[in-house]
Each structure stands twice: as structure tokens, then as C-alpha cells.
Amino acid sequence: MRVIVPIKQIRDPRGVKADPRRQQVTLEEAELVINPTDRNALEEALVLKDKLGAKVTVISIGGPEVEDSIREAWACGADEGILLSDELLAKADFRGAALALAKAIQKLGDFDLIIAGAMAADTCQGQLGPRLAAALDIPCVNDVYRILEVSGGKARVIRGWDEKFLEVEVELPAVLCIAPGANVPRLPHGARIMNSYQWEMPVWKASDLGLSEEDLRPGVEERGLSFPPERVRGRVSRGSPEDLARELVSFLRERHLI
Amino acid sequence: MDFSFSKEHQMLRRMAREFAEREVLPIAKAIDEEHRVPMDVVKKAAELGLLGVPFPQKYGGMGAGEIGYCIVAEELGKVSSSFATIIGAHIGIGAMAIYLGGNEEQKKKYLTPLARGEKIAAFALTEAGAGSDAAAIKTRAVRDGNYFILNGTKQFITNGDIADIITVMAVTDPSLGPRGGITAFIVEREYPGVRIGKLEDKMGIRGSSTAEIILEDVRVPKENILGPFGAGFIVFMQSLDMGRLTLGAACLGGAQTALRMAMEWAAMREQFGEPIAHKQSIQWMIAELATEIEALRSLVYRTAWLVDTRQPFTRYAAMCKMYGSEVASKAVNIALQIYGAMGYSRDFVVELMYRDAKIAEIYEGTNEIQRIVIAENLFRDFGVRIRP
Ligand SMILES: Cc1cc2nc3c(=O)[nH]c(=O)nc-3n(C[C@H](O)[C@H](O)[C@H](O)COP(=O)(O)OP(=O)(O)OC[C@H]3O[C@@H](n4cnc5c(N)ncnc54)[C@H](O)[C@@H]3O)c2cc1C
């Protein structure tokens, strides 16, 4: 059984500094870490490794610095890691990234599951998992909180659905997008950390994946970043519960919210 | 010159920090209040290899060297002096004595389970009449065929009650004194005649235990002699050298937390219509402390580098311990002063940090003794010998 975990390296959101007055976001001082939800995804994969002996392969796209995150995933218990890296891939948007990952996964051969984080904490788009499933033409379950069972070519999982949970069965191979906080990801073992740079990591270029500049041309153009408008201050009302309820209802009616 | 940490050590710091924040920080206040050693968290630390950081992997260790161990001590010191003390006594002096003085057999049998954290170590030197004057120990070891019979009482032994393996210093020839007359032994807790006496009710580091260990006709096989016969004093002093360095690293962690908290409070607390951070007297405290912390950081990691590159480091380890504990004490004092009444209240952790900090000036050799060690080392270069 082979499980593939695509991970993304991001700037630790806790270290990002924002200055709304100067419309400036400083990223560079923040540490480079594995996207938190991808750690949740890796944890689910490693549980399958513990329980079913799954082989866990981690793949990431980015510059040479991304190697550190792949090695950290290895230290946590992943069996191997592959870095997709060159100038073309560096410019890829979500579509391009999903395409490159799909090609790399096809190049690896057979697999049973792709377990991804539902969302990256830097862009908060949640596009990669579904796009990857589309590119590979396999089913995708989003917002997964728990993997109940993987057997007989199927997986049973619990996913969020509105305010409820839904039990879903999906045929393999499939993409599962793990919800943020679905588990507590394990920490890497110290001795594995110390050994984590002692294996050769394959680095694949766009050309190794049969992708051209045209294939990876971004469909989205970034024109600049700006801060969301300042929020208007809320209104504080006081009075008896009856008066307050009446006021609230008329307030909501005025705005056509009820 | 390169001041950067290796990639492995950077990853280790991330792991140690997350472990400290996830597992140790949430219990730091409770273990003080309940006067309880958090064995469950010690076990979790063991599962990550944190009980064998500096030891080679072939003995079950992490293989991260002294630099790695200082990183871990610093991150643990940031959240709990008690927890840093438990790990420090286990790795830094208890197991370290076996690593430094033990033969291959002893390392396999004793160091390996200690490094894996399956067993806990303690280091038993101090006695009622032998504190700073370590050579004044009275515990006796008398030969009986293939065994030594140990009798004596050790006190103030960190991890004393939780340890499975205790490194003990005993007199084997009273006529010879510290050079030749004292031998180090590995004593298993399970040996008949090993008893745990009084547990200290301490001012600080109450989440780590400090116990009396009573040895009554304990038969220790001669295979358990640590290092050359009669050279116990040297084995223990070498272990203490290492322990002092990492104690300095733990103090570096504690001092940084105190500084951060002091700054957060100074930025938030308003008096006379503005944050107290606007007051120059507060700024000066912060600026001076931050400078000393940076100086300490350089001292600690340079000393760790000396160890890892096998260069002499004794005087620097003593400096790490002395300066580190004094910077940490100053830091908690400043933090408490800036917090004012809130710092004195048990509702906050500042008073806990204040109580915890003092011990580092006392154990592993008081700071007066460190000054003697440093001066002795310095004057040796001038051909002058100082005796403590
Ligand atoms: C919480 C805790 C944990 C400990 N853990 C351990 C442990 O795990 N293993 C272990 O073996 N021991 C341990 N100790 C013992 C510790 O190492 C000793 O307490 C320490 O070495 C000092 O000895 P003392 O308390 O007898 O002080 P004393 O030696 O009586 O000293 C009293 C004062 O006199 C000063 N003084 C003494 N001699 C001189 C001198 N020559 N010149 C100038 N000043 C001097 C000292 O600096 C000190 O200020 C621990 C102690 C505590 C409190």
C-alpha cells in the first residue's frame, strides 16, 4: 500500500508581521515550516503506516529550501521524499502545481491514497487537493476528520458537512483532504532528525515530468497585495432581554438578513 | 567563522520547542503546586529521544552532541526549570558519568537504556558533610571478593527517588584522599540495601524531586566500578563540567522567557497615561538584560562547540554555569519588578520562575566554587596553583 502526501513549505504564520499603515507584510523573518494542515495529513498517513504498513511518500514543489521540510517529514516517519524544483515549477500557480504533482505521482507508479492538507495556512485557498484529484481523474473527499478504515480497495472516512459530520465511503485510489486540527501531528524522533540529511533526495524538473513552459503558464496574475478594509465598529446595545431581542430583529430586517 | 546551526540542529530546536510548548508548558505551574514529578511527560520525552540527546546512536542516543543537548536544554529551560532539571540530572551528570567513565560493557548495559529513556539516572555525590568540599565524602566502599560493600548516606540527589541507575562516589582508600582514594560506582536501585530517605520540600523546582539515598551494606559487583579504580573524583568532575555547560543553556532559556514576559507586560501595562515601556528606567533594564542574554548565548554555544570539537573547555563550562545562573536570576528579578504586584501574585508564573531560578546559583557547584574553578584554570596559565 502506498500513500502519497503532498506538502507545502510556508512561512510560519506566527512569525509574519503585518503593518496595515504602510500596507506591508513582512514574511522573511518568519521561519520556514511545513504547512500545519499538511502535518495533519502526514500524521494520517503515518497512522496508516503504523497500522497497515503503508509506504509513505512525501512530495513537495519549490526552491531548494523546501528540501528541509521534506527531510523533516522523513524524520517524522515518512519513507521517502521527492522535490519538484526548477525555475518553471517555481512560477506555477495552483493549477500548475496540481498538474506537476499529478505527473510526478503518475511517474511514481501505483498508489492507493493521496492524503493532503485541506488548506495552506498562507493562501487559504484549499485548491490543491481537489485540483490534484481532477488532474488524476480520481475521487476526492474534502474536510476529512478521521480515516475509519482502509480495506478492499475502499476507504471509509468521516468528513465535515455543514455543521454535521458525514460518514463517506470512497473507492481507491482517491484524494483525502484532511481538515485542520483533525489530529495532533507527531513530532520527529531526535535520532531520525540527526539522520535526516543522510539520504539522497530525488529532485525532478518540469522536463522530467514532461511539462513545458506552456503547460505551467500561470492562469492567475498577481497585481499586488492590499489589506482588507478596516472593520466598522460593532454596535453595543443595552436593555432588557425583550428590548434587545426586538432591536436585534429589526436590525436584521433592515439589512434583509432575515 | 560561522555562527549558524546545522540543519539538523535547527530541526531539533523546532522539535524541542514544540515538545516544550505542547507537553511541558501546560503542566509547569501544576507540577510546582502539586510538588509532583511529571513521569508521563518524561516518558513522552523519552519516546522522542530527548533523554539521550548527546550520546552516540550506537548506545541508543540521539547523536546530537553537546550543541544539540544545549539546544534541548535551552528550549526546556524556557518553559520549566523543574523539567530541565530532571533531564539535566539524568543526561548531563547521571548518564554522562557512565558515558565518560564507563567501559564498552557498562555503556551497553547501563548507558543504552538510560539514553533510550527506559531507565532514569541520578548522580550521587553530595553528603551531609560534603557539599562544596566534595572530597570530604564519608560513604565507604570496602572490597569483599568480587564485590564492594557500600555504606553511607547521600543527600540532595536530584531524581533520587525516580532513578533506576545511580552513579555513586565512595571512598575506597581513606589514606589517599581525592586523588586515588575515591572510586565511582554504578549502583542499581534494585540492589538490596538501597533505600530512599527524606524527600526535600524545596523553595523552587518543585516539579523535580530531590532525595536522600541511603546505602546500607549494598553489594556492588566490581564490574560496576566506573573508570579506573581510585579515579572516581576525576570521573565525577568531568561529568560536572558537562552538566555545568548545559545548566548554563537551561538558564539561557529561562532568562529569555523572563525577558519576553517583562517586555510584553511593559508594553501592555499603562500608568501615568502610557505604557510603562515608555519609561527609561524600564528600557534600561530591558536593554541591559537583552545584552547579557546575547553574551550568554555566545558563551554557551561556543563552549558546546569546544566540547564537540574535543578542545579543553572546563573554565568555559564553569563560566556558563556561573554567568548563566546569574543572568537568569537577574532576568526573573527584572521580570518580577516590571510586573509589580502581579509578579508577586501566584496568579502568574513570574513568582514561580523567580523561585525556580535561585537553585542554579547553588547546585552543580555553587557560584563561589565556579569562581574558584575559573580562577584556578586562569592562574594555571601563569604557573600559579590555587587550592579551593
Ligand atoms: C535542588 C538541589 C538538587 C541537587 N542535586 C544534586 C545531585 O543530583 N547530586 C549531587 O551530588 N548533589 C546535588 N545537590 C547538592 C549541591 O550540589 C550542593 O548543595 C552544592 O554543591 C553546595 O553544597 P552545600 O549545599 O553543602 O553548601 P556548602 O558547601 O555548605 O556551602 C555553603 C556556602 O559556602 C560557600 N563556600 C563553600 N566553600 C567555599 C569556598 N571554598 N570558598 C568560598 N565559598 C565557599 C558556598 O559557595 C555557599 O555559599 C543538589 C542540591 C539542591 C539544593
Side-chain angles (χ1 to χ4, degrees):
Chain A
M1 179 176 178
R2 182 177 216 160
V3 179
I4 291 163
V5 182
I7 63 168
K8 183 179 184 187
Q9 185 185 63
I10 64 166
R11 294 280 172 186
D12 187 345
R14 289 179 301 179
V16 173
K17 293 188 187 109
D19 183 349
R21 218 161 36 100
R22 280 191 275 158
Q23 293 279 306
Q24 217 173 55
V25 179
T26 314
L27 296 172
E28 290 69 30
E29 287 162 39
E31 224 179 332
L32 290 166
V33 296
I34 302 175
N35 172 42
T37 316
D38 297 350
R39 291 180 61 193
N40 295 124
L42 178 63
E43 177 61 27
E44 292 299 330
L46 294 174
V47 169
L48 293 180
K49 175 177 172 168
D50 294 343
K51 282 205 290 203
L52 307 172
K55 179 176 179 183
V56 177
T57 306
V58 169
I59 309 187
S60 191
I61 306 183
E65 66 284 355
V66 173
E67 177 189 333
D68 298 336
S69 290
I70 297 176
R71 293 195 185 275
E72 190 162 333
W74 181 88
C76 286
D79 295 285
E80 57 176 7
I82 296 155
L83 173 61
L84 312 183
S85 182
D86 69 5
E87 276 148 37
L88 284 184
L89 290 163
K91 277 184 253 155
D93 60 6
F94 290 106
R95 189 192 58 85
L99 184 64
L101 282 169
K103 293 281 183 202
I105 289 166
Q106 280 166 341
K107 191 174 151 94
L108 279 170
D110 282 346
F111 66 94
D112 301 273
L113 270 173
I114 295 170
I115 306 185
M119 192 175 277
D122 53 355
T123 51
C124 296
Q125 297 263 358
Q127 294 201 19
L128 187 96
R131 279 186 180 276
L132 190 52
L136 290 165
D137 196 21
I138 58 175
C140 176
V141 185
N142 215 328
D143 206 22
V144 172
Y145 280 87
R146 192 167 299 166
I147 300 176
L148 297 173
E149 197 188 351
V150 179
S151 69
K154 285 185 181 135
R156 265 193 319 120
V157 306
I158 297 211
R159 63 159 301 172
W161 190 261
D162 281 339
E163 309 264 276
K164 299 182 280 292
F165 289 108
L166 199 65
E167 193 178 314
V168 181
E169 193 176 80
V170 61
E171 289 206 16
L172 304 186
V175 177
L176 304 180
C177 303
I178 304 298
N183 54 42
V184 180
R186 71 191 65 188
L187 296 172
H189 187 280
R192 274 187 82 98
I193 290 178
M194 296 315 294
N195 299 340
S196 61
Y197 284 81
Q198 285 168 17
W199 52 278
E200 194 113 13
M201 186 182 301
V203 181
W204 292 348
K205 297 193 184 70
S207 56
D208 296 325
L209 304 171
L211 292 172
S212 66
E213 188 167 2
E214 190 50 42
D215 295 325
L216 292 169
R217 194 183 302 284
V220 180
E221 184 193 340
E222 191 179 295
R223 295 242 168 110
L225 295 169
S226 66
F227 281 78
E230 288 240 7
R231 285 215 296 183
V232 269
R233 239 194 142 91
R235 194 166 92 197
V236 179
S237 304
R238 285 174 219 287
S240 68
E242 291 80 8
D243 289 343
L244 286 175
R246 217 164 285 128
E247 189 182 332
L248 182 63
V249 167
S250 64
F251 176 84
L252 292 172
R253 283 228 174 93
E254 272 167 34
R255 265 145 230 258
H256 305 290
L257 290 169
I258 52 173
Chain B
M1 193 159 196
D2 183 359
F3 276 100
S4 58
F5 289 100
S6 73
K7 298 272 193 190
E8 290 88 338
H9 281 143
Q10 291 176 37
M11 200 191 290
L12 174 59
R13 185 183 291 282
R14 281 198 293 278
M15 181 269 262
R17 188 197 304 145
E18 196 164 344
F19 175 80
E21 287 175 0
R22 194 196 275 184
E23 305 289 351
V24 185
L25 183 61
I27 55 153
K29 204 160 161 29
I31 58 175
D32 170 71
E33 280 161 7
E34 297 158 20
H35 201 183
R36 164 173 71 85
V37 178
M39 283 311 289
D40 50 335
V41 183
V42 172
K43 192 165 170 290
K44 286 182 188 172
E47 283 162 10
L48 294 171
L50 292 170
L51 264 60
V53 184
F55 306 124
Q57 293 186 359
K58 70 167 171 171
Y59 301 124
M62 190 189 283
E66 276 298 300
I67 294 179
Y69 182 29
C70 284
I71 288 171
V72 170
E74 182 187 345
E75 294 302 325
L76 294 176
K78 280 182 187 171
V79 300
S80 168
S81 297
S82 285
F83 201 80
T85 296
I86 300 169
I87 305 290
H90 167 80
I91 298 181
I93 46 180
M96 189 59 79
I98 300 175
Y99 176 55
L100 294 176
N103 56 37
E104 198 56 31
E105 204 82 335
Q106 291 167 336
K107 286 182 194 170
K108 281 211 185 86
K109 181 168 178 196
Y110 292 112
L111 181 59
T112 303
L114 290 173
R116 289 202 187 117
E118 294 155 4
K119 299 219 161 118
I120 299 294
F123 177 89
L125 168 58
T126 304
E127 298 177 8
S132 301
D133 186 6
I137 56 162
K138 291 278 179 297
T139 295
R140 275 286 269 146
V142 179
R143 186 154 197 159
D144 177 18
N146 286 333
Y147 288 85
F148 281 81
I149 314 293
L150 268 62
N151 275 290
T153 300
K154 298 290 181 181
Q155 67 176 24
F156 282 107
I157 307 307
T158 302
N159 294 349
D161 61 329
I162 59 167
D164 309 286
I165 294 162
I166 308 158
T167 45
V168 175
M169 200 156 82
V171 176
T172 36
D173 187 343
S175 69
L176 285 178
R179 310 271 181 271
I182 290 175
T183 302
F185 293 90
I186 303 171
V187 175
E188 296 183 24
R189 171 70 181 85
E190 293 303 314
Y191 288 166
V194 178
R195 229 167 14 93
I196 306 307
K198 176 174 175 255
L199 285 181
E200 296 299 331
D201 186 7
K202 304 188 295 294
M203 160 187 172
I205 57 163
R206 294 170 64 82
S208 99
S209 59
T210 317
E212 191 177 49
I213 298 181
I214 302 153
L215 307 164
E216 260 169 7
D217 292 330
V218 179
R219 286 172 73 80
V220 179
K222 72 175 191 332
E223 293 79 47
N224 282 21
I225 292 177
L226 201 48
F229 184 77
F233 205 70
I234 298 164
V235 171
F236 269 58
M237 288 305 138
Q238 285 175 342
S239 313
L240 282 172
D241 272 353
M242 301 287 248
R244 285 165 183 170
L245 159 58
T246 34
L247 177 54
C251 290
L252 170 63
Q256 286 173 85
T257 299
L259 174 66
R260 179 181 53 74
M261 289 175 64
M263 289 181 67
E264 280 169 6
W265 188 265
M268 202 251 316
R269 172 71 173 166
E270 288 188 10
Q271 287 291 279
F272 303 99
E274 58 182 358
I276 56 173
H278 290 184
K279 306 294 173 196
Q280 195 180 48
S281 60
I282 304 275
Q283 294 161 10
W284 284 31
M285 284 196 254
I286 297 289
E288 284 169 18
L289 178 58
T291 307
E292 290 190 38
I293 287 173
E294 288 312 319
L296 175 60
R297 189 194 312 280
S298 300
L299 177 61
V300 162
Y301 286 105
R302 178 170 177 278
T303 307
W305 170 79
L306 288 174
V307 176
D308 284 346
T309 51
R310 299 182 196 290
Q311 300 181 61
F313 68 95
T314 296
R315 79 175 65 154
Y316 302 105
M319 290 175 184
C320 288
K321 192 278 182 189
M322 178 193 86
Y323 187 60
S325 59
E326 286 168 13
V327 170
S329 285
K330 182 173 174 179
V332 292
N333 193 27
I334 286 176
L336 202 151
Q337 193 65 19
I338 290 178
Y339 265 70
M342 287 305 187
Y344 204 71
S345 163
R346 288 228 164 170
D347 290 349
F348 287 82
V349 291
V350 184
E351 66 83 30
L352 163 60
M353 290 161 58
Y354 187 88
R355 284 185 288 111
D356 276 357
K358 182 66 194 176
I359 188 57
E361 295 179 53
I362 298 170
Y363 65 6
E364 301 210 18
T366 65
N367 281 9
E368 289 72 29
I369 296 300
Q370 304 308 320
R371 282 172 165 82
I372 293 172
V373 171
I374 295 164
E376 193 186 12
N377 239 274
L378 291 169
F379 273 114
R380 194 177 297 152
D381 297 348
F382 288 79
V384 180
R385 275 192 75 77
I386 303 177
R387 297 269 77 237

